[in-house]
Amino acid sequence: MPATRMLRLAVMAIGLFASGSYAAAQEAPRNPLAPSGERGSPDASEGTEREAPETETEPREEEARSPFEDPVETDRDAFTPSTKTTPVNRWILESSYSFIDNRGAPDTNSFPETLLRYGLNRYLELRLGWNNEVGGGGNVVSGNSGEAAEGVDTSSLTREQRLLYGIKASLTKQESWLPDSILIVTGVTPTGGDATATQLRTDFAFGWRLPNRWRLDSALAFTTDSDNGNRFEVWAPSSVLRMPLTERFQIHSEFFGQFSQDRAGNFNRIFFSPGMHYLVTPNLELGLRVGWGLNEQTARFFSNVGFGWRF
């Protein structure tokens, strides 16, 4: 009997052990990397989803752009014209007054040197202007005046009025060493005074914006002219270095000259001219230029003050 009892106890122990092993095998395996209390996958329990981390859904605000990054650029600001055309469907009105202290001739007063420019498309603008000059030396310092040689270097006082009309075309845009460049073709017809011949003037200008925001521009102008019925030509090279000090204020330094060809008494004029301009608004510019003649055939001094308004 003791043997029978011991056999029963052994069978019962084996049964309990087997049932415990079977129940353990039915449980899902525990993830050793999961935190305490989690089983299987990283989710803590059935029907519960882990919250996704918050992400930025609102776009960052763009940095404010200064309105002075695209200001008006006038042709009257220097003897060298700007290498930009008027924006499409917009107007630029320019006007200035020049005083020239001539050598051996009455001083010249030139006003209003008006020029109206209209942007026809991205590459072309139309131009129309008018000017009145009183003096003995003509206006040799402003590209917007339509200067003529009749009456130049005379001791008598002369009066001239001229109508300007033409186009300005953008040729290239700056890319690496390729410069910005433009071509201006202008007709100048007398509307009053002793001059009777219509002039043709062409200006080719090119330049680069430098890494320090300075700008170097050069130009070559060619003009047909006449003096007492004798026709001749005038070549006018120029270079200007423009240096912005603030987004509104800019100074410049310029050399320019005028050299006649096939005239009975040829002239060679060379000027040095510093200047500055101030942007009241991105569309309104005020400017001042002064200059000195560097040889005996050149006026002693000149000054030019004016404005440009884009609308």
Side-chain angles (χ1 to χ4, degrees):
M1 291 300 294
T4 303
R5 184 177 296 176
M6 291 179 62
L7 181 59
R8 289 179 179 174
L9 291 175
V11 171
M12 291 175 62
I14 292 172
L16 290 174
F17 177 80
S19 62
S21 298
Y22 178 80
Q26 299 303 311
E27 291 186 31
R30 187 180 299 271
N31 186 345
L33 300 180
S36 176
E38 294 184 353
R39 291 184 300 177
S41 66
D43 293 340
S45 60
E46 294 183 5
T48 304
E49 296 182 357
R50 176 171 295 183
E51 296 182 358
E54 296 183 358
T55 58
E56 295 183 3
T57 57
E58 298 182 359
R60 296 182 179 179
E61 295 184 1
E62 296 183 359
E63 295 183 1
R65 183 180 178 184
S66 170
F68 291 93
E69 290 185 11
D70 183 28
V72 58
E73 291 194 20
T74 64
D75 286 341
R76 60 142 303 277
D77 181 51
F79 186 85
T80 307
S82 167
T83 56
K84 286 190 176 181
T85 55
T86 305
V88 181
N89 294 331
R90 300 198 69 177
W91 301 81
I92 295 178
L93 175 64
E94 306 179 19
S95 183
S96 58
Y97 163 72
S98 295
F99 168 79
I100 306 173
D101 179 14
N102 296 307
R103 301 176 193 263
D107 296 338
T108 298
N109 292 274
S110 175
F111 180 80
E113 299 181 6
T114 302
L115 180 64
L116 185 62
R117 305 162 54 192
Y118 174 70
L120 191 62
N121 55 45
R122 293 176 55 192
Y123 307 101
L124 191 68
E125 72 173 39
L126 305 180
R127 301 160 68 86
L128 180 66
W130 186 82
N131 189 44
N132 175 65
E133 298 169 14
V134 179
N139 186 340
V140 296
V141 302
S142 177
N144 290 353
S145 67
E147 181 269 334
E150 293 191 74
V152 173
D153 303 329
T154 64
S155 58
S156 60
L157 190 70
T158 61
R159 299 175 183 271
E160 304 289 348
Q161 296 86 41
R162 299 182 182 89
L163 179 69
L164 293 78
Y165 45 91
I167 61 171
K168 181 178 184 180
S170 175
L171 302 181
T172 60
K173 297 296 183 182
Q174 181 174 343
E175 184 177 353
S176 185
W177 288 101
L178 181 68
D180 292 320
S181 64
I182 57 93
L183 177 68
I184 302 174
V185 180
T186 306
V188 183
T189 299
T191 59
D194 297 331
T196 57
T198 294
Q199 301 170 246
L200 175 66
R201 172 169 175 154
T202 60
D203 295 74
F204 173 68
F206 60 94
W208 295 267
R209 181 185 176 94
L210 306 179
N212 57 0
R213 295 180 59 242
W214 290 11
R215 183 163 189 91
L216 177 63
D217 293 323
S218 296
L220 179 63
F222 172 78
T223 306
T224 62
D225 210 335
S226 65
D227 189 3
N228 298 321
N230 300 314
R231 302 194 68 83
F232 62 97
E233 296 79 37
V234 178
W235 298 88
S238 63
S239 288
V240 60
L241 179 63
R242 295 180 169 95
M243 299 159 283
L245 301 182
T246 68
E247 65 178 7
R248 291 175 179 255
F249 186 66
Q250 175 180 280
I251 61 175
H252 73 251
S253 181
E254 183 177 35
F255 284 93
F256 64 92
Q258 294 173 322
F259 307 91
S260 65
Q261 179 181 342
D262 298 329
R263 187 174 182 250
N266 281 326
F267 56 78
N268 300 300
R269 307 182 181 118
I270 305 173
F271 287 91
F272 168 69
S273 172
M276 60 184 179
H277 82 236
Y278 177 76
L279 292 168
V280 181
T281 71
N283 296 312
L284 179 60
E285 170 200 279
L286 303 178
L288 171 66
R289 302 163 52 214
V290 295
W292 294 268
L294 302 182
N295 63 348
E296 290 299 319
Q297 292 184 318
T298 309
R300 284 184 289 263
F301 171 79
F302 78 84
S303 62
N304 173 282
V305 60
F307 74 92
W309 175 38
R310 182 175 62 185
F311 58 96

